Amino acid sequence: MRRYLFFIAISMIFLLIVGCGDIEKNYVPTESDIVNRNSDGLVNETRLKDFINNTETGQKDHIRVVNYTKEGDPILTDLKYNGEQLEVTNDSTRDEFGSGEISTFTCKNISFAGNKYTIMGCEGYKIPYHLAEGN
């Protein structure tokens, strides 16, 4: 009987740990987040354009861009502009097939061409950083 209870207790603990891990991977975007769900288009694109304008005029600002992978995992990109420099923090810890890392680097600017938003001139990041694709 004790073995049976022990087995049930261990099973419940395992299920609790696995269940909590799934909760941590999920991310619910806020109303102010810029969300890119692949085929659904870009939500809050106007806010992204406002952020770019603020960087061009030297106004402090910050935003979060949430890009979803094909599998539906969120990758969070926080952009902070302090009036002089753009800091980018990329969080792929919720991406099952990604690097699982949080990396931060500084960049020169964001460009918008066609319908693509790209971060340019990033230290420690050799190629332009593709941020999102607009509507």
Side-chain angles (χ1 to χ4, degrees):
M1 178 75 166
R2 282 187 175 184
R3 284 186 178 176
Y4 180 72
L5 290 175
F6 179 75
F7 177 74
I8 290 175
I10 294 298
S11 297
M12 290 178 70
I13 291 171
F14 176 75
L15 290 173
L16 180 65
I17 290 170
V18 170
C20 288
D22 288 341
I23 290 170
E24 187 175 308
K25 284 193 146 216
N26 292 333
Y27 177 78
V28 178
T30 66
E31 289 183 18
S32 61
D33 288 346
I34 291 92
V35 180
N36 187 15
R37 290 189 188 266
N38 299 318
S39 62
D40 290 345
L42 195 59
V43 176
N44 286 337
E45 186 171 5
T46 302
R47 176 64 184 107
L48 179 55
K49 289 180 180 180
D50 290 344
F51 177 80
I52 292 170
N53 185 53
N54 289 339
T55 64
E56 291 171 350
T57 59
Q59 296 178 36
K60 295 179 183 180
D61 200 355
H62 67 279
I63 58 171
R64 172 171 279 173
V65 178
V66 183
N67 285 296
Y68 285 88
T69 65
K70 289 183 246 180
E71 298 81 20
D73 296 333
I75 298 174
L76 310 179
T77 304
D78 291 317
L79 302 162
K80 294 179 185 173
Y81 184 70
N82 65 8
E84 295 177 11
Q85 191 174 42
L86 179 63
E87 181 180 275
V88 179
T89 301
N90 186 32
D91 178 354
S92 66
T93 57
R94 294 169 182 85
D95 180 5
E96 185 177 349
F97 299 105
S99 65
E101 298 176 349
I102 298 174
S103 57
T104 301
F105 41 92
T106 57
C107 302
K108 292 183 180 175
N109 63 346
I110 300 175
S111 70
F112 177 67
N115 65 343
K116 294 184 181 187
Y117 295 90
T118 306
I119 303 172
M120 308 294 286
C122 300
E123 292 180 22
Y125 200 86
K126 302 286 181 204
I127 58 175
Y129 182 88
H130 176 70
L131 183 63
E133 209 163 303
N135 300 323

